[in-house]
Amino acid sequence: MDASWRQVAAGRGRARGRGTAVPLSGNGVPLSGAGGGRAKGSGGAVPSAPGPRRAATPGPAGHKQRSAGGEAPQPLWVGGEDGSELISQRKFEEIKKANQAAARKLVEEHCSSSSEEEEGDEDFEGKQGKIVANTFITYTTHTDGDVHELEKTKQYLNEAFQAGAMTCLICIASVKRNQAVWSCSGCFCIFHMPCIQKWAKDSQFLVSSVTDDDFGKKDYPWPCPKCRFEYKRSETPSRYYCYCGKVEDPPLDPWLVPHSCGQVCEREFKPSCGHKCLLLCHPGPCPPCPKMVTTTCYCKKAKPIPRRCSAKQWSCQLPCGRKLLCGQHSCENPCHAGNCQPCPRVSRQKCVCGKKVAERSCASPVWHCDQVCRKTLPCGNHTCEQVCHVGACGECPRSGKRSCPCQKSKFSLPCTEDVPTCGDSCDKILECGIHRCSQRCHRGPCETCRQEVEKQCRCGKHTKRMPCHKTYLCETKCVKMRDCQKHQCRRKCCPGNCPPCDQNCGRTLGCRNHKCPSVCHRGSCYPCPETVDVKCNCGNAKVTVPCGRERTTRPPKCKELCSRPPTCHHSSQEKHRCHFGPCPPCHQPCQKVLEKCGHLCPISCHDQALVKQTGRHQLSGPWEQPAEPAFIQTALPCPPCQVPIPVECLGKHEVSPLPCHAVGPYSCKRLCGRMLNCQNHTCTKECHKVTEVDGCPGRHKAGPECLQCEEGCSKSRPAGCPHPCVLPCHPGKCPPCVQMLRIKCHCKITNLYVECRKITTADVSEKNLLSCCKNQCPKELPCGHRCKEMCHPGECPYNCNQKVKLRCPCKRIKRELPCNKIRGNQVSVECDAACKEMKRKASEIKEAEANAALEEEKRRQQAELEAFENRLKGRRKKNRKRDEVAVQLSPWQKYKSYLFPELLISG
């Protein structure tokens, strides 16, 4: 709701100028949705012609400026279809830009509005708590975390964050974060900056309306709309400051208190103590000073102790002891501030004149009785007529020179004689103030003036001849307007000083709920002083807002549980918080007893389910718009029971849990698996019902409904039997196999034919006998001789007894021994003395041969050296031949064969 002065500023008159200026497109055409049609006085001049003209305003030099946007003026008319399309396209673009700008502005206002911010949200509450904690952190460091003194300031901070709590009492509109505001220093109420400026101007105008000549010259005060705290004209706000007054136009910061600069407040405490506020820039009053000072008690008897500056005055509770005003007693009250109370004791005290004595409070010792003094005056003829007084009575009032009643003559007479009249005319001014008394000097008051005069009425419109002492009032009623400028004076014979209007104002206030209770006045009425509690549905949670804001203020979120009775068949509803409107759907289990099975319904309550209404009015044709689907609340029946019931399948293979409503015979889709009569195969039909045969109970026994086995015998044959069973599939063991089996003997040379059952039933020894060909084993022993055993399995035994020759190491002695003994190193042939002698001679011969070979090598090397030297000496080159060295045999080489013929035989 906008203030009334804002509406007046937009336009004057009835049904004229109520809207704001209609936004125009670039060609002067009002935009759709902005001005609202062709209403009279819709604000702003709208050209009547819809042509593409552009308004050109004269510039400072008298030239015509271009329209907004910097475009050059377009021609007044463009002919042809292309021209009309161009104009339409331009109009469309301009309207599109204007609509986008309006949408952006609306979004910005929506985001900046404090009344549309999220409330009750946990994130928002957490953010608000951090901001409040940061605001108080400097203060709480001095109070060790004590926030008892911050309750009032905290209330102002919470109202700054709470949606709809900050309301301008002049226009009854919400105070948004991005709006310039002003805060009263008396009541700390916040107003819009334009509202308070208009209020101050109007207030000063009304005060000075009586003397319009002095308007603007005298410093008339203006009051706060709420607390009536008066401000001087020079204190009229003209600029937007933060709460502490340091920063002009404080920027919008979501992490600070709205309209705060975020700096330390540093305002002087009230009452002033010399310290400054430690909170961050904040609304509302500053908290008490948290500084610590050392101070003594009121009576100055106790030792100074450190205390909070805001509570530095304290009492030691000892008796005060100061002398009271009575001068007799001391103050017995505990140590206190200010002056001592009057003495509470009672004593007998005399009055001023000393004639009476009475019990009176010690605090008021001076008192007067009601008796006349009656003391004889100095004249000796009269007594004092004063009532109980202090000091001397004074001279006799009848002594000295006394005047006659008309004050023209004076006489010196004793105090016992009265002053006589002088006999002259009185000449005192009568009550009319015009004529004088015509009687002779007389005692007592003069009579009333009885002269007839031409008198004018009080309003000055009529005259009449009448006695001077009478007042002339005509019957003409005053038609002047009283100070309210609404009602006439209507007082008879008004002299022009019409009294203030005494009627009630009676105008509806901005809250639209109450009427102004003040006496009829000029200008705007004061804001409604009432407050309204906006409550939740149950009334436990409430928020106090100015009267008139209850329609737009959201109810507070209540933390109490909803107390409404349940609307379904349950005895109690689910716990949920207080709310407006119908309760949410019940989500408790239904728990109704189902008729067919007796189980309880486990699904959520469905007594008030929303069901889309069907069978509504059919559309008459494509031109008729389909109506929105309608939903009705109705009780739905319980669904089929879903309680799992264990049920065995037809073939008794498994027990599966089936829903209660689907319990019955069923097939598990497995193979039957029952053993057929052959005792070898199972039924391959899908799970089916089986009739139990009398005398053959059991789950694994095939019944008449199962298949009949038509396969051959598939039993496993004995190990080694490769022949199949000759019988069809049968129970029990297969008959023995009588077919002949060809096998190899152990030697792998001879083929033997044996019955299959003998081989398959024989043990290891019998199998070895059946596989023996009765011939000598053809295998060769490791020694190289043939095995002497009969055909046998496995490795040949190593027991060769064939005779083998064995020699001594020198090969001279020779013996024949069994092969197995020689292989086992059980026997050996050693050399005798003759063998040793031959070995000695052989070694000597080898040594002699080695020496002869060494000498021969030396001679050959000497011959080669000589031949080389001869070639160096320049021997004839024609018959050059390779020098041959004639090797001569040594005597040992020549005759060793003759000396030792045994060596040749052994070699």
Side-chain angles (χ1 to χ4, degrees), residues 724-750:
C725 181
V726 296
L727 299 177
C729 188
H730 59 88
K733 297 182 178 180
C734 296
C737 182
V738 296
Q739 296 189 28
M740 299 302 290
L741 186 65
R742 187 178 67 179
I743 61 175
K744 289 281 188 179
C745 68
H746 299 300
C747 307
K748 307 298 181 183
I749 297 176
T750 307

Side-chain angles (χ1 to χ4, degrees), residues 9 77 103 164 262 277 391 417 499 532 607 619 627 670 742 795 840 869:
W77 177 83
C277 181
E417 297 181 7
V532 179
D607 285 353
L619 300 181
R670 297 181 182 178
R742 187 178 67 179
E795 297 289 337
R840 186 184 61 77
E869 291 177 353

Side-chain angles (χ1 to χ4, degrees), residues 483-540:
D483 57 353
C484 66
Q485 297 298 318
K486 294 180 181 178
H487 305 105
Q488 291 180 345
C489 178
R490 307 303 295 170
R491 190 173 60 161
K492 291 183 179 181
C493 196
C494 179
N497 55 343
C498 302
C501 186
D502 55 355
Q503 299 186 28
N504 289 332
C505 177
R507 285 186 292 180
T508 302
L509 298 177
C511 64
R512 304 299 181 190
N513 296 329
H514 304 97
K515 293 185 178 181
C516 181
S518 304
V519 178
C520 189
H521 58 86
R522 294 178 63 183
S524 301
C525 298
Y526 279 94
C528 181
E530 301 292 334
T531 57
V532 179
D533 291 338
V534 179
K535 299 182 179 180
C536 64
N537 188 40
C538 65
N540 289 328

Side-chain angles (χ1 to χ4, degrees), residues 648-666:
E648 193 174 29
C649 65
L650 293 171
K652 300 182 179 180
H653 301 108
E654 66 178 16
V655 176
S656 298
L658 296 181
C660 182
H661 72 278
V663 169
Y666 78 100

